[in-house]
Amino acid sequence: MAYTETTTTGYGTRVGRSFKSIGSGFVMFCLATALLWWNEGRAVKTDKMLNDAEAACVDMENPNKIDPAMDGELVCASALATTEDVLTDDKFGFSETAIGMSRRVEYYQWVEHAESKSEDKLGGKEVTTTTYTYTTEWTNAPVNSTQFKDPAYQSRNFTIAQVEDGEQWAENVKFGAYKLPESLFHSMSSREAVVLNLNADLLTQFDKAARDVDLRINGNKAVTTTASQPAQVAEAVEAVPDSVKTVVSDSIPQENKVDLDYVHQQGNVLYIGRTPAAPQVGDVRVTFEKIVPAKVTIIAKVKGDTFTKFKAKNGKTFQTLVMGVQDSAEIFESEHAANNMWLWMLRILGIMLVIAGLKGIFGFLETILKVVPFIANIFGWGVGVVCTVVGIVWSLIVIALAWLFYRPLLGIALLALAGFLIWVFAFKGKDKLKELTAKAKKPEVQPQPIES
């Protein structure tokens, strides 16, 4: 059931807040302007760096043999990234030969959602009604429910086990005959499930600890599974939804499936709770994955038996790793596309922040008129339109000036072209219009009939 809370803000308080927002609006306006300017420079510098890198890049035909002639060169090479390092999860006591290994923990918790609606009243008051609703969801961290608005949901969250996220990486990753630096292999995405086979004693300890927590929190409501209920447990495990059975396949060997009262192990998921098919608040699920050897393509500068970043003339650096086998042309095309995408995303963000900043600066005008909500709404709509138009124009001016600063030749050429077009339409078009007007006023000569 929804819980509602109503608050009333007086006219004087609202006006005071609106005047305070002038400062924050001005700061936002300045930061947004700086963002637009910086973004143009970032895009230009990145584009030049990519062009320098593309011009300097050479293909490394055989990464399986160290070639001294390649030392110091920016190369594009494809090879199998692999390792012999053994990674150990100290919490759960298992090991895997892998490039990387991760442990992702999720908690089943009550989550508070708030939705507010405000209404202006005659005289300048504002009445805000906030509706709070509560749902159970899987979250990446425990949710503190002591601050929930609805007393019925306060302090209802707990966790049946304490487990932290974890991530570790190999120290020695080979790329043919070369050593791959961390800055490159950390971007590998060849993830696979870690098929668990945990120690029975460890699982028993987790089971007992979870039972103790459940009994302490829920008391007699805690239901345990007895030996006479194996069929129900098996059915519950088989009914685990796809969101829980991460990368778990039907071919998992039966000995990998473990079902205790509060601990259920299957594939790469360890579920701590009574029944995976029916999650309860406090349940925890842990998903284990690893980065396995895979064929990758890198663009980086050769440094002895390893690689480092390429430094362009403008000081920007570059290196990249992509999955699979690709040629340098494909990679650089993708990098240019990504740079252009970020350019437009940050442009749009900057323009929106400029408009928001202007609305923050001039929003007090609308608030002052809130004594008569109808008039204030009309005036506020007008202020919004003006701020939007001014914000867009200002943003375009900043972008244009940035182009002149970072790309002077292109910027001047564009301004010259724009000036020429204005001259053509303003003057030549005017002359053409006079000519057409004169023709329209000139009487037409009627053809004379030919006498026979």
Side-chain angles (χ1 to χ4, degrees), residues 315-449:
K316 289 187 72 69
T317 59
F318 175 74
Q319 66 175 4
T320 189
L321 178 148
V322 297
M323 302 303 298
V325 177
Q326 297 187 36
D327 59 38
S328 59
E330 292 176 314
I331 295 174
F332 281 112
E333 182 180 358
S334 177
E335 291 290 336
H336 279 292
N339 182 42
N340 193 53
M341 179 189 69
W342 277 108
L343 172 64
W344 281 101
M345 287 177 60
L346 293 175
R347 274 177 178 171
I348 294 172
L349 175 62
I351 293 172
M352 292 175 63
L353 290 176
V354 165
I355 295 172
L358 289 173
K359 288 182 178 180
I361 294 172
F362 296 102
F364 74 94
L365 297 173
E366 178 185 0
T367 305
I368 290 174
L369 297 175
K370 286 293 185 181
V371 287
V372 184
F374 175 72
I375 295 177
N377 291 338
I378 296 176
F379 188 81
W381 178 84
V383 169
V385 171
V386 172
C387 287
T388 300
V389 173
V390 172
I392 292 174
V393 172
W394 174 259
S395 299
L396 293 178
I397 291 173
V398 172
I399 292 172
L401 292 176
W403 270 55
L404 281 175
F405 183 81
Y406 290 108
R407 302 179 182 180
L409 294 179
L410 182 58
I412 293 173
L414 289 175
L415 286 177
L417 177 61
F420 174 73
L421 293 175
I422 292 173
W423 177 78
V424 168
F425 285 105
F427 294 97
K428 291 296 183 181
K430 184 178 179 181
D431 295 339
K432 186 67 175 177
L433 182 62
K434 288 181 178 180
E435 181 182 342
L436 292 174
T437 303
K439 286 185 178 181
K441 291 180 178 180
K442 186 178 180 179
E444 295 183 3
V445 179
Q446 298 294 332
Q448 297 296 325

Side-chain angles (χ1 to χ4, degrees), residues 95-417:
S95 299
E96 289 283 334
T97 301
I99 294 173
M101 191 162 64
S102 65
R103 179 176 69 224
R104 181 169 56 90
V105 186
E106 296 171 283
Y107 305 86
Y108 202 68
Q109 303 277 273
W110 283 106
V111 179
E112 181 179 72
H113 303 276
E115 182 178 352
S116 298
K117 292 183 179 179
S118 298
E119 183 180 0
D120 294 323
K121 298 295 184 179
L122 196 63
K125 291 183 178 180
E126 180 185 51
V127 177
T128 302
T129 301
T130 305
T131 302
Y132 298 92
T133 56
Y134 300 85
T135 58
T136 48
E137 303 172 14
W138 287 105
T139 63
N140 294 325
V143 177
N144 183 5
S145 58
T146 59
Q147 303 299 318
F148 283 176
K149 293 295 183 178
D150 190 344
Y153 289 90
Q154 290 178 358
S155 302
R156 290 185 64 177
N157 278 340
F158 70 99
T159 58
I160 205 168
Q162 294 293 325
V163 186
E164 300 80 27
D165 285 341
E167 185 179 75
Q168 53 184 308
W169 294 90
E171 294 183 1
N172 303 292
V173 177
K174 290 294 184 179
F175 180 81
Y178 292 84
K179 182 180 179 180
L180 210 57
E182 289 185 12
S183 54
L184 284 174
F185 66 74
H186 277 198
S187 60
M188 289 181 64
S189 58
S190 52
R191 294 185 177 273
E192 285 188 3
V194 176
V195 179
L196 300 173
N197 193 8
L198 301 180
N199 182 277
D201 292 337
L202 179 65
L203 294 179
T204 302
Q205 292 174 18
F206 271 104
D207 186 68
K208 183 179 182 303
R211 180 196 298 272
D212 291 342
V213 172
D214 197 20
L215 287 172
R216 186 174 69 250
I217 300 295
N218 295 318
N220 293 330
K221 292 186 294 181
V223 180
T224 60
T225 305
T226 65
S228 62
Q229 297 173 304
Q232 291 92 326
V233 173
E235 291 175 1
V237 174
E238 289 300 324
V240 177
D242 291 339
S243 59
V244 178
K245 294 197 297 183
T246 310
V247 206
V248 171
S249 67
D250 295 333
S251 61
I252 297 287
Q254 289 298 318
E255 57 267 21
N256 177 258
K257 299 180 181 179
V258 176
D259 293 309
L260 302 177
D261 289 342
Y262 285 82
V263 174
H264 310 275
Q265 170 192 305
Q266 184 179 13
N268 69 324
V269 176
L270 182 68
Y271 193 102
I272 306 175
R274 296 177 196 166
T275 309
Q280 300 294 316
V281 171
D283 287 2
V284 178
R285 69 183 182 194
V286 189
T287 305
F288 299 86
E289 292 180 326
K290 60 183 177 180
I291 303 294
V292 299
K295 200 72 172 285
V296 299
T297 301
I298 68 167
I299 294 181
K301 183 179 177 181
V302 180
K303 184 179 181 182
D305 65 345
T306 186
F307 302 94
T308 188
K309 294 180 180 179
F310 168 80
K311 190 172 183 179
K313 296 176 183 177
N314 60 11
K316 289 187 72 69
T317 59
F318 175 74
Q319 66 175 4
T320 189
L321 178 148
V322 297
M323 302 303 298
V325 177
Q326 297 187 36
D327 59 38
S328 59
E330 292 176 314
I331 295 174
F332 281 112
E333 182 180 358
S334 177
E335 291 290 336
H336 279 292
N339 182 42
N340 193 53
M341 179 189 69
W342 277 108
L343 172 64
W344 281 101
M345 287 177 60
L346 293 175
R347 274 177 178 171
I348 294 172
L349 175 62
I351 293 172
M352 292 175 63
L353 290 176
V354 165
I355 295 172
L358 289 173
K359 288 182 178 180
I361 294 172
F362 296 102
F364 74 94
L365 297 173
E366 178 185 0
T367 305
I368 290 174
L369 297 175
K370 286 293 185 181
V371 287
V372 184
F374 175 72
I375 295 177
N377 291 338
I378 296 176
F379 188 81
W381 178 84
V383 169
V385 171
V386 172
C387 287
T388 300
V389 173
V390 172
I392 292 174
V393 172
W394 174 259
S395 299
L396 293 178
I397 291 173
V398 172
I399 292 172
L401 292 176
W403 270 55
L404 281 175
F405 183 81
Y406 290 108
R407 302 179 182 180
L409 294 179
L410 182 58
I412 293 173
L414 289 175
L415 286 177
L417 177 61

Side-chain angles (χ1 to χ4, degrees), residues 58-73 75 177-178 302-307:
V58 297
D59 290 330
M60 176 181 279
E61 299 294 341
N62 185 16
N64 296 315
K65 181 181 179 181
I66 294 180
D67 185 357
M70 286 289 184
D71 197 26
E73 296 284 352
V75 300
Y178 292 84
V302 180
K303 184 179 181 182
D305 65 345
T306 186
F307 302 94

Side-chain angles (χ1 to χ4, degrees), residues 18-32:
S18 67
F19 277 108
K20 290 180 180 179
S21 70
I22 295 175
S24 58
F26 181 75
V27 171
M28 182 181 294
F29 175 81
C30 292
L31 291 176

